[in-house]
Amino acid sequence: MAKYFDVHPDNPQRRTISAVADSIRAGALVAYPTDSCYALGCRLGSRDGIARIRTIRNLDDRHHFTLVCENFAQLGQLVHIDNDVFRAVKAATPGSYTFILPATREVPRQLLHPKKKTVGVRIPDHTVTQALLAELGEPLLSSTLLLPDEAEPLTVGWEIKERLDHVVDAVVDSGDCGTEPTTVIDFSSGEPEIVRRGAGDTSRFE
Protein backbone atom coordinates (compact mmCIF):
# COMPACT_ATOMS: atom_id res chain seq x y z
CA MET A 1 0.00 0.00 0.00
CA ALA A 2 1.40 3.39 -1.03
CA LYS A 3 2.14 6.11 1.52
CA TYR A 4 0.16 9.30 0.95
CA PHE A 5 1.87 12.65 1.47
CA ASP A 6 -0.34 15.76 1.52
CA VAL A 7 1.93 18.73 0.71
CA HIS A 8 1.06 22.44 0.72
CA PRO A 9 1.47 23.72 -2.88
CA ASP A 10 3.07 27.06 -1.95
CA ASN A 11 4.79 26.30 1.36
CA PRO A 12 5.79 22.63 1.31
CA GLN A 13 6.20 21.23 4.82
CA ARG A 14 9.88 20.51 5.27
CA ARG A 15 9.33 17.41 7.39
CA THR A 16 7.02 15.92 4.76
CA ILE A 17 9.41 16.71 1.90
CA SER A 18 12.24 15.16 3.91
CA ALA A 19 10.19 11.99 4.43
CA VAL A 20 9.49 11.75 0.67
CA ALA A 21 13.19 12.23 -0.11
CA ASP A 22 14.14 9.54 2.43
CA SER A 23 11.70 7.15 0.75
CA ILE A 24 13.26 7.82 -2.66
CA ARG A 25 16.78 7.29 -1.28
CA ALA A 26 15.59 3.97 0.12
CA GLY A 27 14.47 2.87 -3.35
CA ALA A 28 10.85 4.00 -3.47
CA LEU A 29 8.93 4.68 -6.67
CA VAL A 30 6.81 7.79 -6.16
CA ALA A 31 4.06 9.60 -8.03
CA TYR A 32 4.67 13.33 -7.69
CA PRO A 33 3.36 16.61 -9.16
CA THR A 34 5.25 18.82 -11.61
CA ASP A 35 4.48 22.00 -13.56
CA SER A 36 2.98 19.81 -16.31
CA CYS A 37 0.99 16.93 -14.79
CA TYR A 38 2.07 14.13 -12.47
CA ALA A 39 5.13 11.97 -13.00
CA LEU A 40 6.55 8.70 -11.74
CA GLY A 41 9.96 9.16 -10.15
CA CYS A 42 12.78 7.17 -8.57
CA ARG A 43 16.54 7.39 -7.97
CA LEU A 44 18.73 7.70 -11.02
CA GLY A 45 20.43 4.32 -10.62
CA SER A 46 17.40 2.32 -9.46
CA ARG A 47 17.07 -0.69 -11.78
CA ASP A 48 13.97 -1.79 -9.91
CA GLY A 49 12.40 1.66 -10.30
CA ILE A 50 13.15 1.75 -14.02
CA ALA A 51 11.65 -1.71 -14.50
CA ARG A 52 8.53 -0.77 -12.54
CA ILE A 53 7.99 2.42 -14.56
CA ARG A 54 8.34 0.43 -17.79
CA THR A 55 5.77 -2.08 -16.52
CA ILE A 56 3.26 0.52 -15.27
CA ARG A 57 3.43 2.50 -18.50
CA ASN A 58 4.08 -0.45 -20.86
CA LEU A 59 7.19 1.21 -22.34
CA ASP A 60 9.72 -0.26 -24.77
CA ASP A 61 13.48 0.34 -24.75
CA ARG A 62 13.19 3.28 -27.17
CA HIS A 63 11.34 5.41 -24.63
CA HIS A 64 13.21 8.51 -23.51
CA PHE A 65 13.26 8.73 -19.73
CA THR A 66 13.59 12.21 -18.26
CA LEU A 67 16.10 13.30 -15.65
CA VAL A 68 14.41 16.02 -13.63
CA CYS A 69 17.02 18.46 -12.30
CA GLU A 70 16.95 21.17 -9.66
CA ASN A 71 19.21 23.51 -11.64
CA PHE A 72 21.67 23.88 -14.50
CA ALA A 73 24.58 22.61 -12.42
CA GLN A 74 22.88 19.21 -12.19
CA LEU A 75 21.71 19.26 -15.80
CA GLY A 76 25.21 20.03 -17.09
CA GLN A 77 26.61 16.89 -15.46
CA LEU A 78 24.16 14.66 -17.35
CA VAL A 79 24.19 15.91 -20.95
CA HIS A 80 26.60 17.36 -23.50
CA ILE A 81 25.47 20.85 -24.43
CA ASP A 82 27.23 23.38 -26.69
CA ASN A 83 27.00 27.16 -26.34
CA ASP A 84 24.16 27.75 -28.82
CA VAL A 85 22.01 24.98 -27.36
CA PHE A 86 22.91 26.12 -23.85
CA ARG A 87 21.52 29.57 -24.52
CA ALA A 88 18.29 28.19 -25.99
CA VAL A 89 17.73 25.75 -23.12
CA LYS A 90 18.70 28.31 -20.47
CA ALA A 91 16.16 30.81 -21.84
CA ALA A 92 13.35 28.24 -21.55
CA THR A 93 14.07 26.98 -18.03
CA PRO A 94 12.74 26.47 -15.50
CA GLY A 95 9.57 25.55 -17.34
CA SER A 96 7.39 22.90 -18.95
CA TYR A 97 9.98 21.62 -21.41
CA THR A 98 11.93 18.39 -21.79
CA PHE A 99 15.13 18.57 -23.86
CA ILE A 100 16.64 15.53 -25.53
CA LEU A 101 20.43 15.74 -25.60
CA PRO A 102 23.48 13.43 -25.84
CA ALA A 103 24.10 11.87 -22.44
CA THR A 104 27.35 11.95 -20.46
CA ARG A 105 28.87 8.92 -18.74
CA GLU A 106 27.08 9.95 -15.56
CA VAL A 107 23.84 8.53 -16.99
CA PRO A 108 23.25 4.77 -16.58
CA ARG A 109 23.23 2.95 -19.92
CA GLN A 110 19.78 1.48 -19.39
CA LEU A 111 18.31 5.00 -19.52
CA LEU A 112 19.77 5.88 -22.90
CA HIS A 113 18.06 5.65 -26.26
CA PRO A 114 19.66 2.44 -27.65
CA LYS A 115 20.82 4.03 -30.92
CA LYS A 116 21.13 7.75 -30.24
CA LYS A 117 22.61 7.48 -26.70
CA THR A 118 20.44 10.42 -25.69
CA VAL A 119 18.35 11.19 -22.64
CA GLY A 120 15.67 13.73 -21.71
CA VAL A 121 16.41 16.47 -19.15
CA ARG A 122 14.29 19.20 -17.61
CA ILE A 123 14.19 21.82 -14.85
CA PRO A 124 10.60 22.20 -13.61
CA ASP A 125 8.97 25.42 -12.46
CA HIS A 126 7.03 23.93 -9.55
CA THR A 127 7.45 24.78 -5.87
CA VAL A 128 6.93 21.27 -4.50
CA THR A 129 9.11 19.57 -7.12
CA GLN A 130 11.89 22.08 -6.52
CA ALA A 131 11.68 21.57 -2.75
CA LEU A 132 11.90 17.79 -3.23
CA LEU A 133 14.87 18.06 -5.62
CA ALA A 134 16.68 20.41 -3.23
CA GLU A 135 16.14 18.01 -0.33
CA LEU A 136 17.12 14.98 -2.41
CA GLY A 137 20.30 16.61 -3.71
CA GLU A 138 20.24 14.65 -6.98
CA PRO A 139 18.10 14.40 -10.13
CA LEU A 140 14.95 12.31 -10.23
CA LEU A 141 14.54 9.70 -12.94
CA SER A 142 11.04 10.37 -14.21
CA SER A 143 8.34 9.56 -16.71
CA THR A 144 4.93 11.18 -17.25
CA LEU A 145 2.17 9.38 -15.35
CA LEU A 146 0.27 8.38 -18.46
CA LEU A 147 -1.17 4.90 -18.26
CA PRO A 148 -1.44 2.60 -21.31
CA ASP A 149 -4.49 3.19 -23.52
CA GLU A 150 -5.43 6.41 -21.69
CA ALA A 151 -5.55 9.75 -23.49
CA GLU A 152 -4.56 11.99 -20.56
CA PRO A 153 -2.22 11.67 -17.58
CA LEU A 154 -3.60 11.16 -14.08
CA THR A 155 -3.78 14.47 -12.20
CA VAL A 156 -5.66 13.94 -8.92
CA GLY A 157 -3.58 12.71 -5.98
CA TRP A 158 -6.24 10.62 -4.21
CA GLU A 159 -7.24 9.00 -7.53
CA ILE A 160 -3.60 8.11 -8.23
CA LYS A 161 -3.42 6.59 -4.74
CA GLU A 162 -6.55 4.50 -5.42
CA ARG A 163 -5.48 3.29 -8.86
CA LEU A 164 -1.76 2.72 -8.26
CA ASP A 165 -1.85 1.78 -4.58
CA HIS A 166 -0.07 -1.56 -5.10
CA VAL A 167 2.41 -0.56 -7.82
CA VAL A 168 3.94 2.64 -6.40
CA ASP A 169 5.38 3.20 -2.92
CA ALA A 170 4.25 6.78 -2.33
CA VAL A 171 1.97 9.51 -3.73
CA VAL A 172 2.78 13.19 -3.22
CA ASP A 173 -0.37 15.34 -3.47
CA SER A 174 -0.13 19.13 -3.69
CA GLY A 175 -3.33 19.75 -5.63
CA ASP A 176 -4.05 20.06 -9.33
CA CYS A 177 -1.12 20.51 -11.71
CA GLY A 178 -2.84 20.20 -15.09
CA THR A 179 -3.17 17.46 -17.68
CA GLU A 180 -0.76 18.69 -20.33
CA PRO A 181 2.68 17.03 -20.43
CA THR A 182 5.88 18.90 -21.23
CA THR A 183 6.81 20.13 -24.68
CA VAL A 184 9.67 17.93 -25.91
CA ILE A 185 12.49 19.46 -27.95
CA ASP A 186 15.19 17.22 -29.46
CA PHE A 187 18.53 19.05 -29.63
CA SER A 188 20.63 15.94 -30.25
CA SER A 189 21.52 17.09 -33.79
CA GLY A 190 22.28 20.64 -32.65
CA GLU A 191 19.10 22.07 -34.18
CA PRO A 192 15.74 22.07 -32.36
CA GLU A 193 13.21 19.46 -33.45
CA ILE A 194 9.79 19.61 -31.82
CA VAL A 195 8.96 16.03 -30.83
CA ARG A 196 5.85 16.76 -28.77
CA ARG A 197 3.81 19.93 -28.38
CA GLY A 198 2.71 20.28 -24.78
CA ALA A 199 2.56 22.81 -21.97
CA GLY A 200 5.63 24.80 -23.07
CA ASP A 201 5.35 27.43 -25.83
CA THR A 202 7.02 26.11 -29.01
CA SER A 203 7.30 29.43 -30.87
CA ARG A 204 10.87 30.09 -29.67
CA PHE A 205 12.00 26.81 -31.26
CA GLU A 206 10.29 27.25 -34.65
Side-chain angles (χ1 to χ4, degrees):
M1 182 175 286
K3 294 179 181 178
Y4 184 78
F5 296 97
D6 189 6
V7 181
H8 193 282
D10 301 315
N11 298 290
Q13 306 92 312
R14 184 160 188 179
R15 182 178 295 180
T16 305
I17 292 296
S18 180
V20 178
D22 286 344
S23 295
I24 293 168
R25 291 189 194 101
L29 175 63
V30 303
Y32 72 100
T34 77
D35 51 349
S36 56
C37 69
Y38 269 80
L40 295 167
C42 65
R43 287 195 80 176
L44 186 57
S46 174
R47 289 180 176 273
D48 176 66
I50 295 165
R52 290 166 69 189
I53 292 172
R54 288 192 190 280
T55 299
I56 291 168
R57 291 205 53 205
N58 192 25
L59 301 173
D60 62 26
D61 64 359
R62 291 169 296 177
H63 175 75
H64 269 111
F65 282 98
T66 299
L67 306 180
V68 180
C69 303
E70 179 188 0
N71 50 40
F72 247 91
Q74 281 187 353
L75 186 146
Q77 295 173 0
L78 302 170
V79 291
H80 297 289
I81 185 165
D82 66 26
N83 289 338
D84 289 340
V85 174
F86 174 88
R87 282 191 290 269
V89 172
K90 182 79 170 174
T93 55
S96 302
Y97 297 91
T98 297
F99 300 99
I100 297 172
L101 289 157
T104 67
R105 292 182 179 180
E106 297 293 317
V107 181
R109 288 183 62 187
Q110 68 265 31
L111 301 183
L112 306 182
H113 187 283
K115 292 184 178 179
K116 295 181 177 181
K117 307 304 179 191
T118 49
V119 71
V121 287
R122 68 173 300 224
I123 302 173
D125 186 14
H126 190 276
T127 301
V128 173
T129 316
Q130 281 289 341
L132 179 56
L133 291 167
E135 180 68 26
L136 193 60
E138 60 185 70
L140 260 176
L141 166 64
S142 294
S143 184
T144 303
L145 212 177
L146 180 62
L147 298 180
D149 302 320
E150 296 200 7
E152 291 190 339
L154 299 178
T155 61
V156 181
W158 63 263
E159 182 183 353
I160 293 169
K161 170 82 163 73
E162 282 191 352
R163 295 189 60 183
L164 301 182
D165 205 23
H166 298 291
V167 292
V168 301
D169 301 304
V171 176
V172 180
D173 188 354
S174 65
D176 181 63
C177 57
T179 60
E180 200 168 17
T182 57
T183 290
V184 180
I185 310 293
D186 189 343
F187 267 115
S188 58
S189 67
E191 295 295 326
E193 178 189 347
I194 299 169
V195 176
R196 179 178 71 195
R197 295 177 187 272
D201 179 19
T202 60
S203 61
R204 68 178 71 206
F205 301 106
E206 293 178 299

